[in-house]
C-alpha cells in the first residue's frame, strides 16, 4: 500500500494523521505544501471540496480532513482499530474527536499562526522536510508573507489569541474529564487521542506555555500520542494574556 500524506509544516491535524498512520504501521510519504498556497493546490490541483490539509492519496483516491482520514485508515487496515467496537464507547470517542476538531483545533491554529507572524525566527524549526521542493532554510525565509495571509484568513487577531489563551485551562480540563472517564488515554490510543493529542502537543512547543501545562494529564496524553513534534517557539505571548494559566499552574 503506497500512501501520500499532504500537509503543512507544523500543522497539528497533519501530525494527528501522521501519528495514526504510524500507529497502524502503514508506510507513507509525507509531502508538505506552502502555507496559504496549499489552498490552491488542494482546491484547484486536487479538486477537493475543502481548501485544507491533511489530505491522503491512496490508490488513485484522495481523502481530505483528519476525521475522514481516521475512518479511511480503519477501512484500509483494521488493526489496531482507531475506534472501539462497543457502540456506546464509540459514540463517546466520536464526540471527543468532534470536539477536538471543531473546538480545540482552530484556537491552537490561531495561536500558532499569530506566534509565527509575531516572531518568524522559529518557523525553520517546524520544517522537517523540503516544502514543495524548496529546502527548509530557504522556505523559512520566504514564509512570512504566506503566514501573514494565513493569519488573516484564520482571523488570528490579538483578541482571538487573548481569548484562546484564557480558554486554554477549561479546554485542558475538558480533556482531563475524558481521560478520567477512560474515553481518552486508555490502553489503546484511539482517533480522539490523536486528534486532541496533536493539538496539545503543538501547544507544548511554545516555551511560554510548556512550564504552565506540561505536568497536566492532558499533556501526558499529548506526549504519548505524538512523542515527537518538531519546533520550539521562545516566549512570544504577552505576559498579561497568560494570567489565568499562570494562576492555575501555581494553585495546588
Ligand atoms: N479541520 C480540518 C481542517 C484542517 C485545517 O484547517 N488545516 C489547516 C492547516 S492546520 C490548513 O489547511 N490551512 C490552510 C490555510 O489556512 O490556508 C481537519 O482536521 O482536517
Amino acid at each position: 500500500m503506497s500512501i501520500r500524506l499532504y500537509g503543512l509544516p507544523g500543522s497539528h491535524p497533519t501530525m494527528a494523521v501522521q501519528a495514526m498512520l504510524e500507529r497502524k504501521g502503514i508506510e507513507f510519504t509525507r509531502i508538505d505544501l506552502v502555507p496559504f498556497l496549499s489552498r490552491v493546490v488542494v482546491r484547484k490541483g486536487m479538486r477537493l471540496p475543502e481548501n485544507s490539509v491533511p489530505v491522503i492519496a491512496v490508490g488513485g483516491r484522495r481523502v481530505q480532513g483528519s476525521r475522514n482520514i481516521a475512518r479511511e485508515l480503519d477501512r484500509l487496515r483494521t488493526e489496531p482499530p482507531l475506534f472501539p467496537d462497543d457502540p456506546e464507547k464509540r459514540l463517546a470517542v466520536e464526540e471527543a474527536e468532534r470536539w477536538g476538531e471543531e473546538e480545540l483545533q482552530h484556537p491552537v491554529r490561531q495561536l500558532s499562526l499569530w506566534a509565527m507572524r509575531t516572531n518568524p525566527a522559529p518557523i525553520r524549526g517546524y520544517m522537517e522536510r523540503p516544502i514543495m521542493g524548496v529546502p527548509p532554510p530557504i522556505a523559512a525565509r520566504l514564509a512570512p508573507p504566506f503566514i501573514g495571509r494565513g493569519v488573516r484568513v484564520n482571523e488570528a487577531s490579538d483578541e482571538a489569541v487573548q481569548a484562546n489563551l484564557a480558554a486554554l485551562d477549561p479546554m485542558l480540563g475538558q480533556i482531563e474529564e475524558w481521560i478520567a472517564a477512560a474515553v481518552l488515554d486508555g490502553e489503546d490510543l484511539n482517533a480522539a487521542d490523536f486528534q486532541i493529542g496533536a493539538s496539545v502537543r503543538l501547544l507544548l512547543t511554545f516555551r511560554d506555555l510548556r512550564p504552565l501545562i506540561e505536568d497536566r494529564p492532558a499533556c501526558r496524553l499529548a506526549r504519548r500520542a505524538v512523542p515527537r513534534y518538531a519546533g520550539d517557539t521562545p516566549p512570544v505571548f504577552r505576559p498579561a494574556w497568560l494570567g489565568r494559566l499562570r494562576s492555575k499552574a501555581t494553585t495546588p
Side-chain angles (χ1 to χ4, degrees):
M1 189 175 353
S2 148
I3 289 196
R4 267 166 300 150
L5 165 60
Y6 293 92
L8 286 175
S11 156
H12 43 320
T14 306
M15 192 49 96
V17 170
Q18 178 173 325
M20 290 190 260
L21 283 160
E22 285 166 354
R23 167 84 183 123
K24 284 199 176 266
I26 299 177
E27 277 191 34
F28 64 96
T29 307
R30 178 166 163 173
I31 297 150
D32 279 352
L33 307 173
V34 175
F36 192 76
L37 269 190
S38 59
R39 295 179 161 235
V40 182
V41 175
V42 166
R43 277 295 270 276
K44 301 259 189 282
M46 299 184 184
R47 300 206 162 104
L48 287 163
E50 307 295 333
N51 54 24
S52 59
V53 294
V55 170
I56 60 164
V58 49
R61 280 178 330 105
R62 293 195 179 102
V63 182
Q64 183 173 40
S66 52
R67 279 158 75 195
N68 290 335
I69 295 172
R71 285 149 185 80
E72 179 66 19
L73 296 185
D74 258 3
R75 276 190 288 272
L76 291 171
R77 187 166 295 176
T78 48
E79 292 298 326
L82 290 167
F83 294 92
D85 278 342
D86 177 82
E88 221 171 282
K89 287 189 182 151
R90 181 170 179 128
L91 268 183
V93 167
E94 287 187 328
E95 171 52 17
E97 184 203 28
R98 182 209 62 74
W99 178 90
E101 194 212 347
E102 294 180 7
E103 314 277 333
L104 175 68
Q105 199 189 85
H106 193 60
V108 174
R109 178 176 301 111
Q110 289 176 317
L111 292 178
S112 155
L113 284 165
W114 185 94
M116 286 194 259
R117 202 236 357 233
T118 304
N119 176 14
I123 291 175
R124 165 74 185 85
Y126 290 84
M127 296 180 164
E128 292 194 277
R129 54 189 63 77
I131 314 298
M132 290 165 92
V134 180
I138 300 172
R141 258 184 279 135
L142 299 174
F146 298 106
I147 300 291
R149 288 193 176 86
V151 165
R152 279 197 289 284
V153 296
N154 286 287
E155 299 173 331
S157 62
D158 289 6
E159 293 71 29
V161 166
Q162 190 174 359
N164 294 342
L165 288 170
L168 220 49
D169 172 56
M171 286 204 167
L172 295 175
Q174 169 63 78
I175 297 167
E176 285 152 4
E177 276 179 33
W178 276 315
I179 292 175
V183 174
L184 297 178
D185 207 16
E187 202 173 315
D188 297 312
L189 291 173
N190 60 49
D193 288 309
F194 290 111
Q195 175 69 242
I196 289 172
S199 287
V200 177
R201 192 66 186 81
L202 174 54
L203 293 175
L204 286 169
T205 68
F206 291 95
R207 279 191 227 164
D208 297 297
L209 303 179
R210 209 183 300 146
L212 301 179
I213 62 175
E214 66 187 342
D215 292 334
R216 296 185 61 150
C219 295
R220 284 199 288 278
L221 163 64
R223 288 194 194 279
R224 181 180 168 211
V226 183
R228 233 194 106 263
Y229 203 114
D232 177 43
T233 297
V236 64
F237 302 117
R238 302 205 186 129
W241 295 353
L242 298 167
R244 185 158 175 191
L245 274 177
R246 259 191 228 293
S247 54
K248 176 76 186 195
T250 50
T251 313

